[in-house]
Amino acid sequence: MKHTLMKKITAALCAAVTALTASAVLPVSAAKSSGPIVAVLGDSLGTKYNLAEGDYGYSDYIAEYLKASDYRLLAKNGATSAMLLEKLQSESADALAVKEADVILVTIGSNDMLSALTEFLRKNAKEGERFRDYFVRLAKSGEKAVLDAATKLTSALRTPRNTLEENMQNINRTIRELNPDAKVVYQKIYNPFETASAVYNGTDYSEQYEEFLNYVRGSIKRVNDQCFADLEGAVIADPYTLFRDNAWKYTFSDKEDIHPNAYGHAIIAADTLNRLGYTKAVVPQFAEIIRNGSRYFSASTKYIPLSIRKLLLPHSGLKVTHEFGDVDLDGSVTAFDATAALTYYTFFIVLTYDKDDPSVADCLLNEEQTILADTDGDGDISAFDATLTLQYYTLKYLSGFDDLTWDEMIS
């Protein structure tokens, strides 16, 4: 009796879902060729600091797409603009690489600012207090404490900002003197101090902390505007804008580490490819990032903005032609799409049915449907995805929020 009832339930639910076969995942391979020479200079973002073995750093995507004949990773952990400039002005491996490279990827400047911040904390924070703890404690103390600290921090960053501006001009000028023909890409500095929740002694001070963050954002924006705006002949990529409000999702912030995680590196890589003019460049690792996003996130990450996923998708080789949430591919998001996602989740995730089982064949989703059903962007289809789809449908089509977007619904 139970078996018969389960078969009837299965048939009824599966009849509601379009059946298509999922595409196979192709392995990534770095092909050797007579392609360009790619040189990576600068700091720990270029060294792939803290990434797991096999994870791609941002420059790996560019080198793979270009089929680099020589890929020179010369970035160093802790490098400052002064250190890089000294190398470029001497008979170093960095200078030689610049002379011979066709594409030069540079990340520099963060350590100049972080050194000043470390000194600031040494003078103002409690012993052993990390930067987020210090900022949250100030937020708890009230608006005056936030304003006083922000004023001190702005003053503390002024000298290193001016020094960085001068060094960046000299770095770019030296690179151009060594090699006037190479494509040179610099990365703006992103804000590493955003966090999922500003908790101090068990109380959430997110609202107050946001006020302090606005001062920090202003300081970092001034650094970017002042130091990266007028580098002649250079391409400037913009992690600052792409990471804004979500930097804690794209970094190892849960480990008190400001460096990008693999998802963050993928974002930087996609932006870099676009700014180099390679808007249709496909690197299979982008598909891996999209399919398995949760592998790279902290436990507190709940939603990856759709704008970011749309940045990655054109470079992934994955074909998506419908609106996110439109699981049945009928051209609109409805409650039926939520049912389709929940049905897939129930049978293949909860009940662990074999996808080759003919009794659930009509519950399968193809590659595009799987991406569209994954509304939170973590690479998995869950009950949460189905709930988001139903909420989106209800708000946009039944409650009058005609201009609602996925990112607005979550924010």
Side-chain angles (χ1 to χ4, degrees):
M1 178 67 72
K2 290 183 179 179
H3 180 69
T4 302
L5 179 60
M6 178 57 74
K7 289 185 67 175
K8 288 181 178 180
I9 294 173
T10 301
L13 286 171
C14 292
V17 185
T18 302
L20 291 168
T21 304
S23 302
V25 180
L26 299 177
V28 175
S29 61
K32 294 183 178 180
S33 72
S34 57
I37 297 173
V38 176
V40 182
L41 310 178
D43 56 28
S44 51
L45 199 153
T47 70
K48 305 189 287 186
Y49 183 85
N50 216 7
L51 290 186
E53 184 177 355
D55 284 346
Y56 275 35
Y58 88 98
S59 60
D60 293 334
Y61 292 90
I62 287 82
E64 180 167 319
Y65 172 70
L66 295 176
K67 296 181 171 59
S69 60
D70 194 355
Y71 180 30
R72 304 184 188 181
L73 293 171
L74 296 168
K76 300 294 182 184
N77 295 337
T80 64
S81 60
M83 293 165 63
L84 177 58
L85 180 59
E86 182 180 3
K87 286 183 177 181
L88 292 173
Q89 292 177 337
S90 64
E91 296 297 322
S92 66
D94 295 60
L96 177 61
V98 166
K99 290 179 182 178
E100 298 178 348
D102 300 290
V103 177
I104 302 168
L105 305 175
V106 186
T107 58
I108 203 71
S110 293
N111 289 314
D112 298 59
M113 296 298 108
L114 287 173
S115 295
L117 176 61
T118 299
E119 179 62 17
F120 172 83
L121 289 176
R122 187 186 68 79
K123 293 179 179 178
N124 296 280
K126 294 180 179 179
E127 184 176 354
E129 195 170 41
R130 296 178 175 180
F131 50 84
R132 283 190 183 84
D133 294 331
Y134 169 71
F135 295 149
V136 171
R137 178 169 60 80
L138 285 180
K140 167 185 174 294
S141 299
E143 186 174 348
K144 185 179 184 304
V146 169
L147 180 58
D148 288 346
T151 301
K152 289 180 182 178
L153 179 59
T154 300
S155 177
L157 294 178
R158 186 174 295 116
T159 297
R161 183 173 72 239
N162 292 337
T163 301
L164 177 61
E165 180 186 21
E166 181 179 355
N167 286 346
M168 289 304 302
Q169 290 293 333
N170 289 329
I171 286 169
N172 192 57
R173 187 179 301 111
T174 303
I175 288 176
R176 283 298 169 207
E177 289 171 354
L178 292 170
N179 187 340
D181 300 320
K183 293 181 178 180
V184 185
V185 184
Y186 299 95
Q187 303 287 341
K188 288 184 179 180
I189 299 169
Y190 60 85
N191 177 13
F193 304 120
E194 294 170 345
T195 184
S197 62
V199 176
Y200 186 79
N201 288 341
T203 303
D204 193 331
Y205 295 97
S206 295
E207 185 174 340
Q208 296 90 333
Y209 184 66
E210 184 65 21
E211 293 180 14
F212 190 85
L213 270 183
N214 284 332
Y215 290 106
V216 175
R217 290 186 185 110
S219 294
I220 295 175
K221 186 177 186 301
R222 280 192 291 275
V223 171
N224 286 328
D225 291 346
Q226 185 173 324
C227 301
F228 295 90
D230 300 313
L231 301 178
E232 185 177 354
V235 174
I236 309 298
D238 192 9
Y240 172 82
T241 299
L242 293 171
F243 279 30
R244 178 166 177 150
D245 299 326
N246 290 282
W248 55 274
K249 298 178 181 179
Y250 314 136
T251 65
F252 293 109
S253 65
D254 57 324
K255 302 176 182 177
E256 289 290 339
D257 180 358
I258 66 173
H259 293 88
N261 56 29
Y263 206 104
H265 274 276
I267 293 170
I268 295 171
D271 184 45
T272 301
L273 285 167
N274 288 347
R275 293 178 186 274
L276 283 169
Y278 305 127
T279 57
K280 297 182 179 179
V282 172
V283 179
Q285 184 66 11
F286 282 113
E288 160 66 17
I289 292 289
I290 291 169
R291 289 191 185 105
N292 299 290
S294 59
R295 172 188 162 196
Y296 310 104
F297 302 150
S298 70
S300 56
T301 299
K302 298 299 182 185
Y303 182 80
I304 293 298
L306 187 55
S307 55
I308 291 297
R309 285 177 271 163
K310 287 184 174 179
L311 171 69
L312 302 182
L313 274 168
H315 299 293
S316 69
L318 301 172
K319 187 176 181 181
V320 175
T321 59
H322 289 69
E323 180 184 4
F324 273 73
D326 182 14
V327 183
D328 64 358
L329 308 179
D330 71 347
S332 61
V333 178
T334 66
F336 183 77
D337 295 304
T339 299
L342 188 60
T343 300
Y344 179 93
Y345 168 72
T346 299
F347 284 107
F348 299 113
I349 308 301
V350 177
L351 300 177
T352 64
Y353 270 62
D354 189 329
K355 291 182 180 180
D356 293 327
D357 186 334
S359 71
V360 292
D362 289 339
C363 298
L364 289 170
L365 303 180
N366 70 6
E367 182 98 87
E368 180 175 10
Q369 289 175 305
T370 300
I371 294 170
L372 297 177
D374 177 26
T375 49
D376 64 359
D378 68 354
D380 299 316
I381 298 176
S382 65
F384 182 59
D385 292 310
T387 300
L388 288 178
T389 301
L390 187 59
Q391 289 175 342
Y392 180 81
Y393 162 70
T394 301
L395 289 170
K396 186 163 186 173
Y397 298 103
L398 300 182
S399 301
F401 294 93
D402 298 343
D403 297 326
L404 180 70
T405 67
W406 280 104
D407 289 351
E408 289 172 337
M409 188 181 76
I410 297 298
S411 62

